[in-house]
Amino acid sequence: MNILHIQSSPRAESSNSIELTNAFISACQATKDTVSVDTLNVWTENLPEFDAGAIGAKYKAIKGVGLDARETEVWTRIQSLIGRFQKADRILLGAPMWNFSVPYKLKQLIDLVAQRNFLFTYDGNEYGLALSIDKAITLYTRGSQFLEGSAIPASRFDHQAPYIDFWLSLIGVHNLRSVIVDKAWNLDAKESELSIADGKKRLLENVDWFLS
């Protein structure tokens, strides 16, 4: 079983999301010795810019037009990233909340790999799945707690979990579970510690389901 482990925090060992998803990976490896892990950290991966040159290379490749050396290099890198999704049997994705959404490097990865006929299809009328990944788990950390009826309802402020969960379903994840860790960092250090511990417990409760 190949697990694509996507990390989107730049804080390495100081990151709560990485700490929690690493614990989940360790539990998976302890439970099933055939697990292999492909760790994709969006900050250390040296992602190519999806700039005018990359977009031009994409359109040339789609149309079957010859690419120059620079275009070939960037399109090859994009195809390599796409291939890591295509090879995955499971996806584990951890993301902190930045400005009510996701870190910009995670969005950069999505913009690079979410190419028509590679991670999704579109016939002019409707979108279809290009992958078939049985299960994924998303782990979200944030400093606040967004509750309907409060001054900061999720329906207005949470542009993190809804977007990523939607995107994973769009590309072909059939069964998705999410663990949200609220108040992971705030002025009350004890509250944050308890929240992270609870999030870890809830995440690890999904190991058997994830591997089955």
Side-chain angles (χ1 to χ4, degrees):
M1 177 181 292
N2 182 33
I3 300 173
L4 177 60
H5 176 198
I6 301 172
Q7 301 174 340
S8 58
S9 171
R11 300 180 65 236
E13 67 277 359
S14 299
S15 163
N16 293 318
S17 63
I18 291 178
E19 174 190 352
L20 293 174
T21 56
N22 278 344
F24 185 83
I25 288 294
S26 294
C28 288
Q29 292 173 322
T31 302
K32 193 167 188 174
D33 58 13
T34 57
V35 165
S36 63
V37 181
D38 176 13
T39 301
L40 197 169
N41 183 295
V42 297
W43 295 91
T44 60
E45 190 63 34
N46 191 26
L47 299 173
E49 293 296 323
F50 198 45
D51 54 15
I55 294 172
K58 163 190 170 177
Y59 287 136
K60 280 187 176 182
I62 291 172
K63 294 176 181 178
V65 177
L67 280 64
D68 64 27
R70 183 187 178 281
E71 291 168 336
T72 298
E73 190 272 338
V74 70
W75 186 242
T76 298
R77 290 174 67 190
I78 291 171
Q79 289 293 300
S80 177
L81 290 167
I82 290 171
R84 293 166 76 170
F85 282 83
Q86 293 171 328
K87 294 173 185 175
D89 300 305
R90 302 284 190 275
I91 292 177
L92 170 67
L93 188 153
M97 177 177 276
W98 283 20
N99 290 309
F100 312 107
S101 186
V102 299
Y104 70 90
K105 280 288 182 182
L106 177 56
K107 183 59 166 60
Q108 182 179 350
L109 173 68
I110 291 171
D111 289 339
L112 287 166
V113 300
Q115 303 296 338
R116 181 178 174 181
N117 297 328
F118 290 96
L119 290 198
F120 69 93
T121 64
Y122 181 63
D123 63 6
N125 294 303
E126 61 181 341
Y127 291 91
L129 313 178
L131 303 181
S132 183
I133 297 173
D134 188 30
K135 295 174 183 175
I137 288 184
T138 48
L139 182 281
Y140 301 112
T141 56
R142 62 271 297 263
S144 302
Q145 186 173 28
F146 303 104
L147 298 174
E148 297 304 315
S150 74
I152 50 173
S155 56
R156 181 181 177 193
F157 285 86
D158 184 3
H159 302 276
Q160 176 198 37
Y163 172 65
I164 296 298
D165 287 355
F166 158 78
W167 180 71
L168 288 172
S169 297
L170 175 73
I171 65 174
V173 172
H174 302 300
N175 300 285
L176 175 64
R177 291 186 178 180
S178 297
V179 175
I180 294 175
V181 182
D182 293 316
K183 298 184 178 181
W185 56 89
N186 53 43
L187 295 177
D188 188 336
K190 184 62 175 179
E191 183 180 44
S192 294
E193 181 182 326
L194 291 173
S195 181
I196 292 167
D198 176 69
K200 182 177 181 179
K201 176 179 179 293
R202 288 185 287 118
L203 183 63
L204 294 179
E205 287 172 350
N206 288 286
V207 168
D208 289 340
W209 169 83
F210 188 70
L211 296 177
S212 65

